[in-house]
Amino acid sequence: MTHRILFVCLGNICRSPAAEGVFRARAPHHNTDSAGTSGWHIGEPPYGPMQKAARARGIELNDLRARQFVAGDFDRFDLIIGMDANNIADIEDLRPAGNETPVRLLTDFAPQIGADHVPDPYYTRDFDGALDLIEVAVEGLDAHLRG
Ligand code: 4NP
């Protein structure tokens, strides 16, 4: 079954494009996209150091371009996945009345890690640590979607 999955972070240049790239490589039959709650990097490709860290694992992100999350995304996707609690709050602020699209934390799909968010490597500079967590969570997401 094909699902429509949207990954969301703050800038849409580090965590959410990385999650999208890891997920589409693993499960290419789904419709995927990513977006930022901010409009700070609209039109930009993923951040260079994140692209480099992903490429070292065989994950290509260079075709992706940042866009801002919009209320209409609630109707265009079956599942919206944020990277931290601020993302979830900013997403929920735009939920249209009556819409019931699930919004989850990516870390919900990696309970064995015990993390409650994906730390932002734009600030921590730990791009590999973010990718490690994203890879485990995407595996859990894939399993969840397979039921
Ligand atoms: P992201 O990281 O939300 O994982 O894309 C960020 C990238 C850029 C900024 C903040 C977070 N920024 O402040 O420009």
Side-chain angles (χ1 to χ4, degrees), residues 8-17 35-38 40-41 44 47 50 83-84 87 118-123:
V8 178
C9 62
L10 176 59
N12 194 209
I13 57 169
C14 289
R15 294 165 295 173
S16 63
T37 57
S38 79
W40 299 337
H41 297 280
E44 294 179 24
Y47 190 50
M50 179 53 96
M83 302 297 138
D84 61 37
N87 302 153
V118 181
D120 193 339
Y122 192 76
Y123 301 114

Side-chain angles (χ1 to χ4, degrees), residues 5 8 11 37 50 59 63 65 69 81 100 104 106 115 117 124:
I5 311 288
V8 178
T37 57
M50 179 53 96
I59 303 293
D63 58 301
R65 293 295 179 271
F69 180 81
I81 300 178
E100 295 186 353
R104 302 281 300 274
L106 184 63
H117 70 291
T124 69

